Amino acid sequence: MSDSLVIIPTYNEKENIERMLNTVFALTHPFHVLIVDDGSPDGTAQLVKNLQEIYTDRLHLLERAGKLGLGTAYIAGFKWGLEHGYPYIFEMDADFSHNPQDLPRLYEACAIAGADLSVGSRYTRGGKVSNWSWDRIVLSYGASLYVRLMTFMPVKDPTAGFICYRRKVLESIDLDKIRFVGYAFQIEMKYASHLLGFKIAEVPITFVDRVAGVSKMSANIIQEAIVGVFQMCWRSFFNSYRRGNPM
Ligand SMILES: Nc1nc2c(ncn2[C@@H]2O[C@H](COP(=O)(O)OP(=O)(O)O[C@H]3O[C@H](CO)[C@@H](O)[C@H](O)[C@@H]3O)[C@@H](O)[C@H]2O)c(=O)[nH]1
């Protein structure tokens, strides 16, 4: 048994997933991995099944029928991780935009330094973005500013998707109340954690744009974030994300 589960959502990541898994499993800390694949037409899930023959106890696979969005993939993964008893549960992209070598630093920020969740942050001191197009930088930085102004969250990179959660955070949040399915899901999870009083630490990382495969960013995802953040703040005025509270 390991104390750490890394959830990696995948949609058409055949070009990245084998190298990613080999890298994670070569780390000194004995991370386990759960792949949540949404029926990738490129055969990502079959490749993961082949790798399960090598990484028998450490590599798990959840298959879903179709592309249901990043947010619901993580929610399914969180529920699986909680059911299987992991004390620390991580989010990470499959495409090396998050460097798996940074996983131990996120772990230490929680397990040693005492944060409830640690966020791999591009916009905290020491963090940066490498080889992104200027329009993607403007969009991402603008989104972060917008969210910080709307929510008053003390998090410089609220859209970040490289995270370590202590299980108590995921147990406290009513995961069925998380409404965003796209990347705004990242904002909503941090917002819920913040409202419930959990201690959020930002760990500086360098985010590198993917070299293989394509981003799944779309106009719908951006629209969900702009309109949705406003609705999210409004709703939270009246109700709580805490498990057991009506919303
Ligand atoms: N299962 C599943 N996986 C998905 C889906 N959409 C994307 N993914 C997976 O989610 C990861 C991130 O997808 P990308 O499309 O590469 O994301 P990105 O544009 O680089 O966005 C990253 O940065 C954003 C902030 O700038 C983050 O908000 C986002 O979570 C992600 O880390 C990849 O492993 C990808 O295969 C989906 O519908 N279903």
Side-chain angles (χ1 to χ4, degrees):
M1 181 62 188
S2 166
D3 67 352
S4 301
L5 177 72
V6 182
I7 301 170
I8 306 181
T10 54
Y11 191 74
N12 287 344
E13 298 290 359
K14 197 177 176 184
E15 292 167 83
N16 291 308
I17 201 63
E18 183 166 5
R19 187 163 71 92
M20 172 55 79
L21 290 170
N22 290 337
T23 310
V24 174
F25 293 138
L27 295 169
T28 315
H29 190 87
F31 291 101
H32 284 193
V33 173
L34 173 69
I35 302 291
V36 184
D37 186 72
D38 276 3
S40 297
D42 74 349
T44 302
Q46 186 53 51
L47 179 54
V48 172
K49 283 180 195 159
N50 298 345
L51 291 165
Q52 279 182 312
E53 287 173 22
I54 305 170
Y55 300 117
T56 324
D57 299 325
R58 299 180 67 178
L59 177 57
H60 307 281
L61 173 65
L62 243 185
E63 288 186 89
R64 306 197 304 167
K67 192 172 184 312
L68 299 171
L70 180 83
T72 62
Y74 273 125
I75 297 288
F78 293 156
K79 289 180 176 174
W80 191 98
L82 290 175
E83 261 169 42
H84 287 80
Y86 290 92
Y88 298 96
I89 299 179
F90 295 69
E91 293 184 19
M92 187 172 74
D93 288 357
D95 59 1
F96 287 90
S97 52
H98 300 144
N99 183 348
Q101 306 287 349
D102 290 331
L103 283 168
R105 288 197 301 126
L106 290 181
Y107 173 77
E108 283 159 17
C110 288
I112 296 173
D116 295 316
L117 58 154
S118 58
V119 176
S121 174
R122 298 160 288 189
Y123 304 131
T124 196
R125 185 188 290 268
K128 58 177 190 280
V129 167
S130 166
N131 72 337
W132 248 7
S133 60
W134 68 267
D135 52 331
R136 188 74 203 262
I137 293 174
V138 171
L139 181 67
S140 170
Y141 196 71
S144 299
L145 273 181
Y146 170 70
V147 172
R148 285 166 63 192
L149 285 172
M150 292 289 292
T151 62
F152 300 105
M153 260 198 292
V155 179
K156 295 200 171 76
D157 194 352
T159 65
F162 195 16
I163 298 169
C164 172
Y165 295 94
R166 279 178 188 272
R167 70 175 283 124
K168 72 174 178 192
V169 177
L170 299 176
E171 280 172 339
S172 303
I173 297 173
D174 187 340
L175 297 171
D176 294 325
K177 285 184 191 149
I178 300 294
R179 303 196 182 186
F180 291 140
V181 292
Y183 302 160
F185 158 84
Q186 305 293 8
I187 302 167
E188 194 173 14
M189 283 299 297
K190 291 183 198 73
Y191 188 54
S193 307
H194 167 67
L195 290 179
L196 295 181
F198 289 112
K199 187 175 159 202
I200 306 177
E202 286 188 88
V203 174
I205 58 151
T206 299
F207 181 100
V208 182
D209 199 15
R210 61 163 72 231
V211 284
V214 289
S215 167
K216 285 86 198 172
M217 176 71 84
S218 71
N220 282 350
I221 286 171
I222 296 169
Q223 194 191 344
E224 180 192 65
I226 295 171
V227 181
V229 166
F230 185 78
Q231 291 169 337
M232 176 184 84
C233 296
W234 179 250
R235 273 199 313 267
S236 70
F237 229 57
F238 304 101
N239 291 298
S240 160
Y241 282 102
R242 189 176 295 283
R243 195 186 286 273
N245 277 15
M247 190 164 182

